[in-house]
Amino acid sequence: MNRGIRRRALGAVVALPVALLPACASRESADLSVYGRSARAPDAAVTDPDQPVPVLRPEVLAEVPHDPSAFTQGLELHEDTLYEGTGLEGRSQLREVDPATGEVRRSAPLPGELFGEGITVVGDRIWQLTWQDGVVLEWDRATLTLRRQVPLEGEGWGLCSDGTRLVRSDGTDRLHFHDPDSFAETGSVAVTFDDEPVTQLNELECVDGQVWANVWQFDVIVRIDPSSGRVTALVDAAGLLAPERRTDANAVLNGIAALGDGEYLLTGKLWPSSFRVRLVEE
């Protein structure tokens, strides 16, 4: 696939989210009151900006049951346990899930009407974003009890940890960096492809110095170099879940968990299944 075709493939990511930005404030429906290849080793697209950006597809290795009522906002595997954050006002949860069966082992509701978003594990804690509530939650990982609420300026969408800092998306073209202990913001970077902004960045997964991000409303995942903000790979996940199995307009791709050895678990909001995949180049 030549660079021109790759450029057109990512055009949907670059152009459409920009066009849809005015609707972002109402992205949650009124009814719901809601709105590759493994990056283990740097490849040419990561180290050389003049190299073509690879287009990857998910090769399905296994299908795992997923709670179809889960409005998935965050997904992360830690020490053989899958953690999932779900959203919707008054229905948001932090969950501990069996990665092999999809069974919910434990869950804890968010306080009040908080709208849960992305999550990430940091040692014995779990940070969980809220969408527009102005707070981020710190949970005790062993007990799934809430430790504290920390003020958050701006919206919370996706969250991951690169081992030294936290990375947050807010639905725009920016990634924000935060201190893993205080959650104080320490900087940000604009995400681009061919110098154009890539917007509506949603759920995040940090893997070996790169950031994978769902693009909200699209069956697309982008890999980002957080030092420059450049998109270094595109995952075309169209067809991962058949259209007839999406019973709700909000049932969009959203959920990336690195499993190790180049494998990932992908799912979506209100999806009945998750998929263990390997990302391969087209």
Side-chain angles (χ1 to χ4, degrees):
M1 185 182 292
N2 63 34
R3 186 171 177 80
I5 295 175
R6 294 178 195 280
R7 181 65 185 83
R8 289 195 294 275
L10 194 53
V13 182
V14 174
L16 291 179
V18 172
L20 289 170
L21 272 178
C24 282
S26 60
R27 70 182 181 119
E28 313 294 348
S29 73
D31 289 342
L32 292 173
S33 67
V34 300
Y35 48 80
R37 180 168 46 187
S38 170
R40 289 151 62 84
D43 59 22
V46 175
T47 57
D48 184 352
D50 294 326
Q51 290 294 318
V53 170
V55 177
L56 314 175
R57 61 176 177 81
E59 179 183 74
V60 176
L61 305 176
E63 184 171 341
V64 181
H66 178 254
D67 179 3
S69 71
F71 199 78
T72 305
Q73 305 284 55
L75 199 68
E76 186 169 316
L77 183 75
H78 184 80
E79 296 180 349
D80 298 323
T81 296
L82 187 66
Y83 294 95
E84 182 175 20
T86 70
L88 302 179
E89 294 174 353
R91 294 164 53 186
S92 300
Q93 293 184 341
L94 176 63
R95 295 178 168 189
E96 183 181 286
V97 179
D98 185 324
T101 67
E103 179 186 358
V104 179
R105 295 171 176 165
R106 293 189 298 166
S107 64
L110 270 64
E113 298 295 304
L114 293 181
F115 195 117
E117 287 278 351
I119 64 167
T120 195
V121 177
V122 180
D124 63 352
R125 298 165 293 146
I126 299 173
W127 285 107
Q128 184 171 24
L129 296 171
T130 60
W131 178 35
Q132 293 181 325
D133 297 297
V135 295
V136 59
L137 309 178
E138 183 187 58
W139 297 87
D140 182 273
R141 183 165 62 89
T143 61
L144 292 192
T145 55
L146 188 62
R147 289 184 173 183
R148 58 174 172 158
Q149 298 185 28
V150 177
L152 174 67
E153 184 175 344
E155 294 188 6
W157 287 40
L159 190 66
C160 67
S161 171
D162 67 5
T164 59
R165 62 184 178 179
L166 306 182
V167 185
R168 171 177 64 95
S169 64
D170 61 2
T172 69
D173 64 333
R174 300 200 73 85
L175 294 179
H176 301 264
F177 307 121
H178 294 264
D179 181 272
D181 296 316
S182 67
F183 214 85
E185 186 165 343
T186 59
S188 67
V189 66
V191 176
T192 62
F193 179 81
D194 281 355
D195 298 320
E196 295 182 58
V198 180
T199 65
Q200 295 186 202
L201 301 172
N202 203 354
E203 211 269 324
L204 305 179
E205 181 79 353
C206 293
V207 184
D208 298 318
Q210 300 288 293
V211 178
W212 298 88
N214 280 282
V215 180
W216 182 64
Q217 287 188 323
F218 295 89
D219 288 335
V220 168
I221 297 168
V222 292
R223 189 183 67 190
I224 304 160
D225 178 354
S227 64
S228 64
R230 287 191 311 108
V231 169
T232 61
L234 162 73
V235 179
D236 180 2
L240 185 60
L241 183 72
E244 60 269 21
R245 300 181 67 190
R246 301 191 189 198
T247 58
D248 189 287
N250 291 288
V252 297
L253 181 73
N254 199 52
I256 316 166
L259 304 179
D261 297 325
E263 295 183 7
Y264 295 82
L265 190 69
L266 304 182
T267 194
K269 304 174 190 289
L270 309 174
W271 280 24
S273 295
S274 299
F275 298 88
R276 183 166 60 86
V277 305
R278 186 177 297 275
L279 304 178
V280 298
E281 189 164 354
E282 294 185 342

